[in-house]
Amino acid sequence: MAVQQRVVSGVRPTGNLHLGHLHGVIQNWVKLQADYDCFFFIADWHALTTEYDNPKIISQSAREILADWLAAGIDPDKSTIFIQSEVKQHAELQLLLAMLTPLGWLERVPSFKEIQQNLTHKDLNTYGFLGYPLLQTADVILYNAHRVPVGTDQVPHIELSREIVRRFNHIFRKATSGTDIFLEPQPLLTQSPKLLGPDRRKMSKSYDNCIYLADSPDVIRKKVMSAITDPARVKKDDPGHPEECLIYDYHKLHSDQATISRVCEECKAGTIGCVEDKKMMAETLISFLKPH
Ligand code: TRP
């Protein structure tokens, strides 16, 4: 049997897991366990880059997330599961990588400016936040991972990791008689749906727009009812545009084919209203999350 390729991925424990994580990340990890040598970890040091003033949430959500992983099917008999800060070599390697990483490489990472602009209530003009992609590089190359299962938003991080590895290997090639020290990781892109939150922005802890796996039915109802649907549809009998509507995206992930087709037709015809559709979606989500 061919040797399995290794996969490494982590989640920042800055709050409980939400639907976006489940569809975009965790369900994919569960599948990867069959084909890869998987390392999954709680990226608690990464969480400190934004939650440095609120570290309590990190230890609390680390436990919750672990429970969510197990509930979703991440299997400790198949995968290596760990907490980043328990493996001090992550920090040690980040320090060493920092010595040879040009500042401009880090400043150019799109998420650096993007998150700073979105989280205006927090000072993220810090050394730690700028160095985030470097710590992420250490996480991955420490284990000689071949693949990093990530969403498209993380691809620039992996690209940067590859550049850093190339630079590192190049600088030390003479000393190692031409042998590469680290492996260049590749992204493992999954066609995970981009799940929007009720406010139509990407569902993200940072935007406070999440439907959590542990939310109670009442909370789920409230969140779904607050959703902004098709902005072009003002009156109930205006023809809708399902492809523009996040509730329709939710249907595609959680409803059966007959419901998906029916909602699509009725929305276009202006015979189902957004409120009715949202009520139906709330109940669908509640039963979907019940076993979890
Ligand atoms: N940056 C990732 C995120 O926000 C989390 C993460 C940290 C990660 N280290 C990693 C993902 C290493 C993959 C590999 O989702």
Side-chain angles (χ1 to χ4, degrees):
M1 203 179 90
V3 179
Q4 281 185 330
Q5 287 206 333
R6 180 166 292 166
V7 147
V8 172
S9 200
V11 162
R12 291 162 18 96
T14 54
N16 297 352
L17 289 191
H18 55 69
L19 272 183
H21 289 124
L22 186 66
H23 292 295
V25 183
I26 309 303
Q27 285 183 346
N28 179 39
W29 287 7
V30 170
K31 288 192 216 125
L32 290 177
Q33 297 181 114
D35 300 316
Y36 292 92
D37 176 23
C38 294
F39 282 58
F40 299 128
F41 69 98
I42 305 276
D44 54 348
W45 275 334
H46 275 96
L48 269 181
T49 58
T50 53
E51 305 300 322
Y52 53 83
D53 54 352
N54 184 23
K56 215 171 168 185
I57 190 166
I58 299 177
S59 48
Q60 279 168 359
S61 53
R63 281 170 167 271
E64 294 285 337
I65 288 175
L66 216 44
D68 280 335
W69 284 1
L70 299 176
I74 303 292
D75 181 349
D77 287 335
K78 293 184 190 152
S79 300
T80 303
I81 303 173
F82 65 97
I83 296 179
Q84 181 185 36
S85 64
E86 294 293 314
V87 186
K88 309 300 178 205
Q89 285 82 355
H90 287 247
E92 186 178 1
L93 183 54
Q94 185 200 21
L95 179 140
L96 295 175
L97 297 177
M99 303 306 168
L100 51 85
T101 303
L103 268 183
W105 290 13
L106 295 170
E107 286 162 347
R108 273 204 307 272
V109 174
S111 59
F112 178 61
K113 285 221 174 68
E114 225 172 84
I115 297 179
Q116 272 187 344
Q117 278 161 5
N118 278 304
L119 293 186
T120 43
H121 60 284
K122 202 165 259 186
D123 183 3
L124 289 182
N125 214 359
T126 60
Y127 177 57
F129 188 64
L130 180 68
Y132 184 110
L134 217 48
L135 183 56
Q136 178 159 336
T137 302
D139 297 338
V140 170
I141 69 176
L142 192 56
Y143 301 96
N144 273 322
H146 304 86
R147 297 284 195 154
V148 187
V150 287
T152 44
D153 61 321
Q154 294 282 317
V155 171
H157 283 157
I158 314 290
E159 273 310 315
L160 179 68
S161 297
R162 293 167 61 80
E163 280 184 80
I164 293 169
V165 167
R166 281 199 285 273
R167 185 163 160 88
F168 192 100
N169 286 339
H170 175 74
I171 291 174
F172 296 105
R173 197 157 278 150
K174 269 213 188 90
T176 60
S177 327
T179 319
D180 285 342
I181 298 173
F182 291 115
L183 204 66
E184 276 182 46
Q186 307 256 18
L188 186 60
L189 276 182
T190 40
Q191 347 102 303
S192 59
K194 183 170 152 218
L195 201 72
L196 299 182
D199 61 355
R200 291 176 66 90
R201 294 195 291 177
K202 180 189 164 195
M203 191 178 283
S204 159
K205 298 175 266 208
S206 327
Y207 298 150
D208 193 19
N209 64 351
C210 301
I211 297 173
Y212 291 99
L213 303 187
D215 275 347
S216 69
D218 278 347
V219 170
I220 294 177
R221 279 186 199 106
K222 210 166 140 204
K223 288 181 178 173
V224 174
M225 294 316 290
S226 79
I228 305 168
T229 48
D230 176 356
R233 201 174 174 202
V234 183
K235 292 196 281 6
K236 183 188 154 187
D237 46 10
D238 286 344
H241 308 85
E243 298 303 337
E244 306 282 316
C245 176
L246 68 98
I247 298 294
Y248 187 59
D249 289 341
Y250 287 18
H251 275 299
K252 285 192 274 188
L253 288 170
H254 305 98
S255 302
D256 56 53
Q257 195 49 53
T259 309
I260 298 172
S261 315
R262 180 174 64 80
V263 168
C264 182
E265 290 317 311
E266 292 182 358
C267 171
K268 282 186 193 158
T271 51
I272 183 175
C274 295
V275 172
E276 185 187 343
D277 191 23
K278 287 195 273 191
K279 275 189 186 147
M280 180 164 84
M281 178 45 60
E283 299 314 312
T284 304
L285 282 183
I286 290 165
S287 31
F288 173 77
L289 288 174
K290 204 168 177 187
H292 188 94

